[in-house]
Amino acid sequence: METVAEKKSYQANSNGYYGTFGGAFIPEMLYPNVEELRNNYLQIIAEPSFQKEYNDLLKNYVGRPTPLYRANRLSEKYQTNIFLKREDLCHTGAHKVNNTIGQILLAKRLGKQRVVAETGAGQHGVATATVCALMDIECIVYMGELDIERQAPNVARMKMLGAEVRPATCGSRTLKDATNEAMRHWINNPVDTHYIIGSVVGPHPYPDMVARFQSIISEEIKWQLKEQTGKENPDYVIACVGGGSNAAGAFYHYLDNPETKLVAVEAAGQGLTSGHSAATTALGTPGVLHGSRTILMQTTDGQVVEPYSISAGLDYPGIGPQHAYLYDSGRGTFLSATDEEAVQAAFELTRMEGIIPALESSHALAVLGRLGAGLNETVVVNLSGRGDKDMSTYMKYID
Ligand SMILES: *Cc1c(COP(=O)(O)O)cnc(C)c1O
């Protein structure tokens, strides 16, 4: 993990800006909380005792390093060298726990007794409830009332882990309403509560902090690829983007290495022009969402457009500010995959490699045929999560 503020071209400056994106656009009431975090996070995560506890937990609790697996049959089909970074093998089934482990250790060192989080599909809620159980810290998860109905298994998991799940009953009763409720809770309990955001979004320092916790992904890819191929830099790194945390972690150590192409895949839903999509860079414009200036899907008068994707984890109307900058500067290549393409890619991986991927990760797999990667090139796909949670969707495609 990166522990000191180094001056790098694609990283946040001290005010949390990536080019013109980022910053901290928050109500005055939230200033003390965000300031406390901003003033302390770099120093705390650099402490040897923090590093030791974080690394021990990643190794012995999460199960890191996760394997880097050469997918032989897939490589044969696409006539290139495809490696899968197996974040699906992390405890709780996805990369999200890399971040919640880091943030719970930070919360403890800041003397917090309670954690609050928002969740859409429940994946971040489960990863948060998990680390709160581990550390014996009270956990409150806000979730849209509609999502509570749609995601019953994850609600049950959070409750079994001891979290309190509070319904957000305003608006569309989904993720953005849960985020508002969680923020409100944080404003009212600034001294004893830490807010764990689940992706590289939100006001500075969250995007930078979450990216650092996820940067373990590319840190491992480097030495694992070197071990297997003799060189540490692939030609392509591909990752799906909801808010962008798994992508930020997979890209992190390659940002300043222009030979490695960084490919971000957004959810096109039923198609870019269908009105049911979550392809933020294709459809969005600059604006402020959840405390930072970024690119988001909005109407001409600034109303946030409801996103849609078959995968709950990509069903978000914005992207993190670093991704907005990677898109704007041309450093990142932003593609999209439809629901249909993602499901096809999920079945392809399952039948060819015996790995059932999360629907989110399947979007990254869906662009393999479009890269133009050659026989001598190396492609790393970040397999962000496993597909167990998506079986009810996949079953509809099996007869
Ligand atoms: C939540 C989730 C995502 C999307 O979140 P990012 O912050 O964009 O990584 C992707 N894959 C899986 C498996 C998830 O659970």
Side-chain angles (χ1 to χ4, degrees):
M1 184 185 25
E2 200 87 358
T3 57
V4 286
E6 285 179 47
K7 186 85 193 81
K8 286 187 180 158
S9 44
Y10 296 97
Q11 300 293 4
N13 70 15
S14 58
N15 295 319
Y17 275 91
Y18 306 84
T20 61
F21 300 105
F25 296 80
I26 50 176
E28 201 163 339
M29 300 278 288
L30 215 56
Y31 262 88
N33 312 33
V34 172
E35 271 300 291
E36 183 188 32
L37 206 57
R38 191 173 74 86
N39 288 330
N40 291 293
Y41 82 108
L42 287 174
Q43 190 196 327
I44 291 177
I45 65 181
E47 284 166 9
S49 69
F50 181 98
Q51 283 291 306
K52 181 173 183 330
E53 200 176 355
Y54 180 69
N55 289 322
D56 280 354
L57 284 170
L58 287 188
K59 180 174 176 204
N60 300 311
Y61 185 72
V62 174
R64 305 204 72 92
T66 58
L68 183 71
Y69 164 70
R70 187 180 192 281
N72 289 337
R73 292 188 62 202
L74 215 56
S75 296
E76 177 74 16
K77 169 163 180 183
Y78 291 103
Q79 292 290 293
T80 186
N81 301 285
I82 299 169
F83 289 83
L84 305 177
K85 182 56 173 162
R86 300 290 310 276
E87 294 301 294
D88 60 315
L89 295 175
C90 289
H91 176 47
T92 70
H95 67 288
K96 287 200 172 71
V97 72
N98 301 326
N99 168 45
T100 58
I101 294 258
Q103 287 207 48
I104 200 80
L105 295 181
L106 192 72
K108 274 207 324 186
R109 280 159 177 78
L110 289 170
K112 306 295 178 183
Q113 278 123 42
R114 186 191 298 133
V115 154
V116 61
E118 82 296 332
T119 197
Q123 294 302 109
H124 174 56
V126 169
T128 302
T130 298
V131 297
C132 287
L134 181 69
M135 294 295 163
D136 193 21
I137 286 183
E138 184 187 349
C139 181
I140 298 171
V141 180
Y142 285 93
M143 191 169 182
E145 203 172 36
L146 188 65
D147 290 334
I148 288 179
E149 285 167 26
R150 294 191 291 194
Q151 310 289 340
N154 275 342
V155 175
R157 282 186 191 105
M158 285 184 269
K159 288 184 174 168
M160 184 163 174
L161 287 159
E164 184 190 334
V165 180
R166 290 195 187 163
T169 54
C170 294
S172 55
R173 300 176 297 141
T174 58
L175 179 60
K176 93 176 146 35
D177 312 294
T179 305
N180 292 338
E181 291 289 328
M183 289 260 182
R184 198 165 306 144
H185 182 110
W186 198 27
I187 289 172
N188 292 326
N189 301 272
V191 179
D192 63 351
T193 302
H194 175 67
Y195 178 24
I196 299 190
I197 292 184
S199 191
V200 284
V201 300
H204 179 63
Y206 279 103
D208 181 55
M209 181 171 70
V210 176
R212 283 168 191 262
F213 290 141
Q214 294 293 357
S215 71
I216 185 70
I217 298 172
S218 49
E219 191 180 310
E220 289 174 4
I221 294 172
K222 281 202 136 178
W223 64 259
Q224 290 174 317
L225 202 61
K226 174 111 195 205
E227 212 172 69
Q228 294 183 51
T229 69
K231 54 173 220 178
E232 60 180 27
N233 299 331
D235 298 285
Y236 298 85
V237 177
I238 315 176
C240 65
V241 172
S245 68
N246 87 87
F251 295 170
Y252 198 96
H253 292 283
Y254 293 116
L255 286 169
D256 291 306
N257 172 44
E259 321 136 37
T260 300
K261 296 181 190 73
L262 308 175
V263 181
V265 187
E266 298 179 319
Q270 294 172 5
L272 286 180
T273 56
S274 67
H276 302 278
S277 178
T280 303
T281 58
L283 301 171
T285 48
V288 172
L289 180 67
H290 293 143
S292 69
R293 184 171 187 277
T294 187
I295 297 172
L296 68 144
M297 291 165 34
Q298 57 186 332
T299 60
T300 45
D301 56 349
Q303 297 294 312
V304 177
V305 171
E306 276 297 320
Y308 163 82
S309 166
I310 192 171
S311 74
L314 303 186
D315 198 351
Y316 185 68
I319 47 171
Q322 186 182 41
H323 291 297
Y325 184 54
L326 294 178
Y327 171 73
D328 202 47
S329 64
R331 176 67 186 97
T333 303
F334 283 69
L335 305 176
S336 66
T338 63
D339 291 357
E340 210 54 49
E341 290 168 331
V343 169
Q344 250 177 41
F347 275 84
E348 178 176 270
L349 184 73
T350 304
R351 298 283 164 88
M352 293 184 77
E353 301 287 347
I355 298 169
I356 302 179
L359 268 166
E360 290 83 3
S361 324
S362 306
H363 287 72
L365 295 162
V367 305
L368 279 170
R370 288 190 236 161
L371 295 176
L375 267 173
N376 296 322
E377 292 191 299
T378 302
V379 179
V380 174
V381 182
N382 196 38
L383 204 68
S384 55
R386 63 178 177 233
D388 306 38
K389 68 183 178 57
D390 299 312
M391 285 314 297
S392 62
T393 303
Y394 290 145
M395 288 303 289
K396 293 181 193 148
Y397 294 83
I398 301 171
D399 41 36

